[in-house]
Amino acid sequence: MAVVTDNTQRPDSGPNSAPELPTQYAPAEVEGPLYERWVERGYFEADAKSDKPPYTIVIPPPNVTGSLHLGHAFEHTLIDALVRRKRMQGFEALWQPGMDHAGIATQNVVERELAKEGKSRHDLGREAFVERVWQWKAESGGQIAGQMRRLGNGVAWSRDRFTMDEGLSRAVQTVFKKMFDDGLIYRAERIINWCPRCLTAISDIEVDYQDDDGELVSMTYGEGEDTIVVATTRAETMLGDTAVAVHPDDERYAHLIGKQIKLPLTDRTIPVVADTHVDPEFGTGAVKVTPAHDPNDFAIGQRHNLESIEVLDERGIITVHGPFLGLDRFEARSAIVAALRADGRIVAEKRPYVHSVGHCSRCKTTLEPRLSMQWWVKVETLAKAAGDAVRDGRVDIHPADMSQRYFDWVDNLNDWCISRQLWWGHRIPVWHGPDGELVCVGPDEEPPTGEGWTQDTDVLDTWFSSGLWPFSTLGWPEQTPDLEKFYPNSVLVTGYDLMFFWVARMMMFGLYAMDGQQPFHTIAFHGMVRDEFGKKMSKSFGNTVNPLDWMDKYGSDALRFTLARGANPGVDVPIGEDWVQASRNFANKIWNATRFALMNGATVEGDLPPVEQLSATDRWILSRLNKTVAEADALYDDYQFAKLADALYHFAWDEVFDWYVELSKTTFFEGGEQAKVSARVLGEVLDVTLRLLHPIVPFVTDTLWTTLTGRESVVIADWPKDSGFRDDVAEQEIELVQRVVTEVRRFRSDQGLQPGQKVPARLNLDGTALAPHEAAIRQLLRLQPEGEGFSATASLPVAGAEVALDLSGTIDVAAERKRLAKDLAAAEKEKAQAEGKLGNEAFLAKAPDNVVDKIRTRLAKAEEDIVRLQNQISSLPTG
RNA sequence: GGGCGCAUAGCUCAGCGGUAGAGCGCUGCUCUUACAAAGCAGAUGUCGGCGGUUCAAAUCCGUCUGUGCCCACCA
């Protein structure tokens, strides 16, 4: 298929035509086949037996719940860039791919699919339902893999893993058994966060707290003189109250402590207990206690030996016999308030009350605290180790200020509820005996047989298996060569939103299961992708973007470059379509610059010419090139993708594609030896620039690099090295050229000269470093030889040189006067500022020499400019 | 209630002690033989307010205002 899109605009007919590249880059036709070629050639595979040093990044496994969003594209761009560079640097680089079964999330998605068919998972039964989820996984997984290929991700596909595959399930079982045997996993009945829709327990961090509008109801408990007023937002729980608690020092209620009072709407009486948990300043200072439906109340119940009465079932339906039986919790709430009011128990009308309510992070349903028997991980020692590994520097957190949040978390951790009443996930490998015995079964062990033994029906929290990801993907629990080579992982790249769910768990599991070996050396946190106004992307707000749309429209490179360009460490990255378009323009610019280079014989063959043969322009760009290599290395090593992308963008576009190419055109057009030298230099500069850019924009760079060099692929090329070449003299010289050119261009523009209009000019560059650049300056400024009858209409002294132009007397004096007056004002302001500083004794005494020198230089230049400008103004024709 | 962060050009953001920057957008002129997805030139800011430290503050400190995020067992 031709790469040509529109080649009609400017037909190539001249001697310099380079028919192999069209004038526009068409990513859509290049990227797909190129990616498949990379994969076929095995570039992304990693060999445990290699002598090269390892570099490992495991993919944060995407959930198999659907397709990837921009956040994934962002994360993948960063990881791919890191891995590609390390591969070029000679590391045995492994980007470990895979996906997460995402227990509750995936189960919900498939249940929703079933609901469309009018079925529930219970209609299918556990086995058939799980089979159905596997089907979903196959589809969703394929879609995700397709998107990753589209994005250009250099992952080792042969190693693709899934958290529910056989090997990883084995890892899960092995760790569970070890922890069970070590007493780190136990079973206990506690108040947990229960989702009445998902019908499962969830862990503390799966709770989303939102400020909800509720109503605070105050009601009287007790009879006669023994009454007490309590307040609640969850009136329905009063059916399960087994006490009222007051503060022990609260004199208002001292006479009631120990007494039994009547619980309204029931035939029960409940005690008044004294507990320091109660804040006497809050509300009435008296709290109704419902041990079965509130964690605080449960704790009070434990301290006072209170009964726990469950009043709601797993769906949030009242189970207490009486008028409220069978009501949903919210119906029951109003019904009970109404009944209490009828009974004269409501002392203050209910009032609006905004309070924080827990919601299921998966389905948004209001959670119900519920007393329940669950499996727990005892985190104390694990969390301590996870904190210490960062504290003692074995694991680095980037950016560093993220570590505070990490410590706050691991140092204040409650035990982790790991059991879920779901069907999709790793079944808990514990068998219950007829007399309540518990037997944990390891991977190669036979479960107990005989009458009454059954396996636990719960599955594990999905984060249990993802917590093992850094080593389970490498073959653990087998001591594989892969494990030996690629563990610990080099870097973990992930969003700060996964710090607790995933990162902290990997730290705990890694240190525990791998004998104290941390899972990775460095954690690099990135931010969240936001829309172009910095707003969070959400489906309900309608500002989400399918990365495929933008990739189809502008190319994967454009999307990747845009994402990299916004990636400041740990900071959210906004992205808009305009920005992707701008990146597409950059890719096209690289394309056309390379096209120009090829037309003019740019080559990478042979050694670079010796310095003596190089022009100042060549030496300047090579000096800048090597500085850029050094800068890029430092930025890559520091995960500063935004600055990296920006530095490369400006070096490539401004310095190479604008100035160097333009300054070299006369050389190229004239041909000869110097053209050959510059062609080799341009080849070098492009070669290195393309290699520097490759990790971020892999497709366009590989396409161009192979065309330029004739070599196999930039994917396996060596990473550029700073040769150490620097030439400050040449840099200053070119800076001077740039000043002259810019100044004269400004004059031309102010005078309304059309850019292409040729103007006869006399250049007096004697005594300046500009002399060798006369031809280039003339080319850039469209200046003709002076010819016969030259008559200077305007004379521009700048940087010690003088450019005289013959405008046939048509100079716009007013415009020129305005321009010069403006410059003069600026110079005078500059002079005044500098003089002010230099006249300040304290400044001279305390400021460092280099700063004082700088100011002196500024003053000198300002004074020089003032004289020059005044002369220019006075020499303007009057009238 | 605790903790963290942010307020810089119209928008999104860099800069974090020594002359205010980038991208996009905006204005003007151009198809000047790589590229109009381009080139050239230009305009735009009391760097949130108020104090302080310093020879010097967008940059450090205090404070106020606005705003975002995380954590917490607010009946």
Side-chain angles (χ1 to χ4, degrees), chain A residues 626 721-726:
Chain A
N626 282 289
K721 282 196 184 66
D722 173 11
S723 71
F725 178 80
R726 298 288 188 280

Side-chain angles (χ1 to χ4, degrees), chain A residues 49 115 356 423 498 544 553 560 572 635 743 752 840 873:
Chain A
K49 293 191 288 289
S356 184
W423 289 352
L498 290 185
T544 54
K553 220 164 154 186
R560 293 171 59 120
D572 289 349
L635 293 170
E743 192 59 24
N840 183 332
I873 291 170

Side-chain angles (χ1 to χ4, degrees), chain A residues 423-532:
Chain A
W423 289 352
W424 176 241
H426 300 278
R427 190 109 171 236
I428 288 183
V430 172
W431 293 69
H432 298 254
D435 301 312
E437 312 95 309
L438 296 177
V439 173
C440 183
V441 178
D444 295 317
E445 297 167 8
E446 288 300 320
T449 50
E451 195 66 20
W453 284 91
T454 53
Q455 186 175 2
D456 198 292
T457 53
D458 288 352
V459 301
L460 287 166
D461 181 359
T462 195
W463 298 102
F464 193 99
S465 55
S466 24
L468 315 179
W469 193 246
F471 50 94
S472 63
T473 49
L474 297 172
W476 191 89
E478 262 42 79
Q479 289 303 312
T480 62
D482 282 336
L483 195 63
E484 178 72 22
K485 179 90 179 174
F486 298 111
Y487 189 93
N489 304 163
S490 307
V491 190
L492 176 77
V493 179
T494 191
Y496 59 73
D497 58 328
L498 290 185
M499 184 187 285
F500 309 143
F501 280 112
W502 191 44
V503 179
R505 266 77 177 266
M506 282 190 287
M507 290 288 285
M508 295 195 284
F509 279 133
L511 292 162
Y512 172 73
M514 299 299 289
D515 302 317
Q517 258 299 3
Q518 73 276 18
F520 21 71
H521 299 293
T522 301
I523 302 166
F525 284 113
H526 64 246
M528 304 294 117
V529 174
R530 291 168 173 269
D531 76 6
E532 59 195 305

